[in-house]
Amino acid sequence: MEVKMRNLKTIEKKVRAVLEKNEDARNDDMVLYLALCNACLKDAGAMPLAEIMTQHKYLGLPSFESVSRTRRKLQARYPELAGSRPVQKMRATGEKAYRRYAKE
């Protein structure tokens, strides 16, 4: 449990650094994940997507879901790292739709 928590804190620092530098990453989780992979592994952007997605643990890359969850947490805590207004509205609408779906 301790190791997982430490890994999440490391992911949080890396995600925050990307969000602070890359405004496009604030609006798009795929852009965020690519930037994070490139920060963690040199030339990750040149690797086939299938290799990154299936070998992320072996390559030392965090899972896409961990990065997405961390982005949501950081954007809730630090409004200056939030996406653009249209993206914020779209995400809020999507969240409402998902909550309705989850209750079915």
Side-chain angles (χ1 to χ4, degrees):
M1 185 71 153
E2 176 102 12
V3 172
K4 284 190 178 202
M5 190 66 142
R6 195 168 39 243
N7 288 344
L8 289 172
K9 292 289 185 184
T10 300
I11 292 169
E12 184 175 318
K13 288 178 186 176
K14 290 178 180 181
V15 170
R16 184 172 179 179
V18 171
L19 291 175
E20 287 173 346
K21 294 177 186 172
N22 187 334
E23 290 186 31
D24 290 335
R26 298 175 191 172
N27 293 322
D28 188 327
D29 281 349
M30 296 303 285
V31 172
L32 171 61
Y33 192 67
L34 176 60
L36 186 71
C37 287
N38 282 325
C40 294
L41 181 67
K42 186 179 180 201
D43 296 328
M47 296 175 75
L49 176 63
E51 185 175 353
I52 289 176
M53 300 308 279
T54 60
Q55 301 293 321
H56 71 276
K57 289 180 185 176
Y58 173 77
L59 295 168
L61 300 172
S63 71
F64 181 83
E65 187 62 26
S66 292
V67 173
S68 180
R69 287 179 180 159
T70 301
R71 189 253 323 141
R72 289 191 296 269
K73 175 184 173 183
L74 288 169
Q75 288 183 331
R77 187 182 303 158
Y78 305 102
E80 68 273 15
L81 298 179
S84 66
R85 291 276 183 225
V87 170
Q88 288 179 45
K89 287 180 182 180
M90 183 181 68
R91 285 178 174 158
T93 301
E95 182 179 345
K96 288 175 187 173
Y98 182 81
R99 287 179 189 267
R100 284 192 304 273
Y101 163 76
K103 289 180 180 179
E104 288 181 357

